[in-house]
Structures are given as C-alpha cells and as structure tokens.
Amino acid sequence: MRIIGLIGAGHIGSQIARLGVTHGYDVIISNSRGPESLSALVAELGPRARAATAADAAKAGDIVVVTVPLKNYRQVPVEPLAGKIVIDTNNYYPQRDGHIPELDNESTTTSELLQAHLPASKVVKAFNHIYAAALTTDGQPADSKNRRALVIAGDDPSAKATVARLLDDFGFDAVDAGPLKEGWRIQRDTPGYGPRRTAEELRKDLLAAIRYAER
C-alpha cells in the first residue's frame, strides 16, 4: 500500500497529502474544481504527487481518503472504490451541510452514510477530530512519551488494522472505537473532539461521550 488517493484537497486533504509524501507514499489528489486548480499544491508536494479527477484518484489509490463536505458525499464515485479501504474524515455541521434527518435523530452516523453510499468498500472513520494544522506538527515516533492518539472506527477488522498502521507511519497511536456505528463518540462537541490526547486519555473520552439528545 504505497499510493494514497484523495477525494478532496481542502484543509484536511492537503495535510494528509503532505504527510503522505513526507513518509514515502505517492499521493493522487483531486477536488471538485478539477486537476488544474491543484497545480500549486502539486508543485509544493513534489514528484510523489499528482492531480487527477476524483474518479482517477479513486481508481489509482491503494487506500482512498474521502475528505469532502458531508453534504457532497453522494458525489463520491462508487465503482472505482469497490473493494478498497476508504478513510472517511467527515463531520456533520448542519449550518454547512443542511439538515440531514437521520443524523439529526441520531439513527445513523456520518461514516455509516458513506458506507451505505459505497456498499462494496471498507469504510474506516479517521482524522475527523484533529485540527488540520496539527496533522503535520503533532506526529511523533513510535514509543514516544505522551504520543498523540487518533480514533478509528470501522466494520472491517483488516481495514482498521491497515489504517492503524498508516496512522503509526504518520506519527500517531490509533484508538479503536469499534464499528462505524460507534463513530458518534468522536463527533463534534464530544470530549475527544479537538484536543490533543494520548491513547489512554482518548479511550476515557470515548466512554464519556453522550448523545446530543441526552444533553
């Protein structure tokens, strides 16, 4: 797994691309405006990066990161992602995304929506609760004292193991929150959303999370 495809090249996507090339991965980046709009980012990233359409990034990536505004998740190409590990970085912001009834009533989660859209893919939630700027500053070597941890959630154990290895490559411990349906424990306004946490601290944050309806 040496090629990371990126569908979305905003704050999080561009930072993951920087992490990828820094740690020896090739990255293929895409956005809604077309490859030509990414020329400055590609020039910054260097020879390990190229821009493409979303469909091409999906097809070429060994692992593919979906990092678009949640309201646009239905535009993510389905067929080229069949059988692939897809990392979902999404969060739900009604003021940006409009109201999504099944998220408002908490009958599902953002990553489960993407999984339903990509039924043949292996969706893993990750990178959604760290500020973009911290992605390239907070990573540390394995076994570092007080190493920062990030949460993953997913329904496929092997896919989660692969994403955990990627996080380790990038300088972070991984904390497994369980299946995708448990991803709500790290959504906006939960204890672990935003602050720097070690693995032990983050596990406590996950346990302390409560549903919006219970607040």
Side-chain angles (χ1 to χ4, degrees):
M1 188 203 72
R2 301 312 303 177
I3 302 174
I4 301 173
L6 288 141
I7 298 176
H11 295 305
I12 293 287
S14 60
Q15 285 288 75
I16 292 173
R18 292 180 181 102
L19 281 172
V21 298
T22 298
H23 292 89
Y25 293 85
D26 293 327
V27 299
I28 302 171
I29 53 178
S30 67
N31 64 11
S32 60
R33 299 188 303 279
E36 64 282 352
S37 68
L38 295 166
S39 57
L41 180 58
V42 169
E44 175 203 329
L45 293 171
R48 285 193 173 275
R50 68 179 176 90
T53 64
D56 286 340
K59 184 177 180 180
D62 296 320
I63 189 168
V64 178
V65 182
V66 171
T67 180
V68 299
L70 180 64
K71 63 183 178 181
N72 297 330
Y73 80 91
R74 292 185 183 87
Q75 298 173 21
V76 174
V78 177
E79 184 59 33
L81 291 174
K84 295 195 175 187
I85 297 171
V86 175
I87 296 177
D88 172 41
T89 76
N90 274 322
N91 291 299
Y92 174 43
Y93 296 103
Q95 66 270 30
R96 177 196 67 187
D97 301 313
H99 281 279
I100 300 173
E102 57 265 52
L103 294 180
D104 287 338
N105 67 25
E106 298 185 274
S107 61
T108 191
T109 63
T110 58
S111 295
E112 287 177 293
L113 283 181
L114 184 62
Q115 181 67 81
H117 176 66
L118 302 172
S121 302
K122 303 165 188 175
V123 174
V124 177
K125 186 179 188 71
F127 297 116
N128 76 296
H129 64 99
I130 180 173
Y131 296 113
L135 279 166
T136 51
T137 60
D138 282 9
Q140 296 172 281
D143 299 322
S144 297
K145 185 178 181 180
N146 296 323
R147 194 188 200 202
R148 183 165 185 168
L150 298 177
V151 168
I152 59 174
D155 296 336
D156 186 283
S158 64
K160 285 196 289 187
T162 297
V163 175
R165 287 193 295 271
L166 181 69
L167 289 180
D168 186 51
D169 283 350
F170 286 175
F172 302 94
D173 288 339
V175 170
D176 188 351
L180 286 179
K181 68 181 181 181
E182 293 297 312
W184 69 270
R185 292 183 179 276
I186 199 65
Q187 64 193 4
R188 59 179 170 80
D189 304 322
T190 56
Y193 185 84
R196 181 189 176 106
R197 293 285 193 261
T198 64
E200 182 180 1
E201 293 167 336
L202 202 47
R203 290 186 187 99
K204 292 177 181 177
D205 286 341
L206 293 175
L207 290 173
I210 58 174
R211 298 277 194 178
Y212 293 131
E214 297 169 0
R215 300 180 186 189

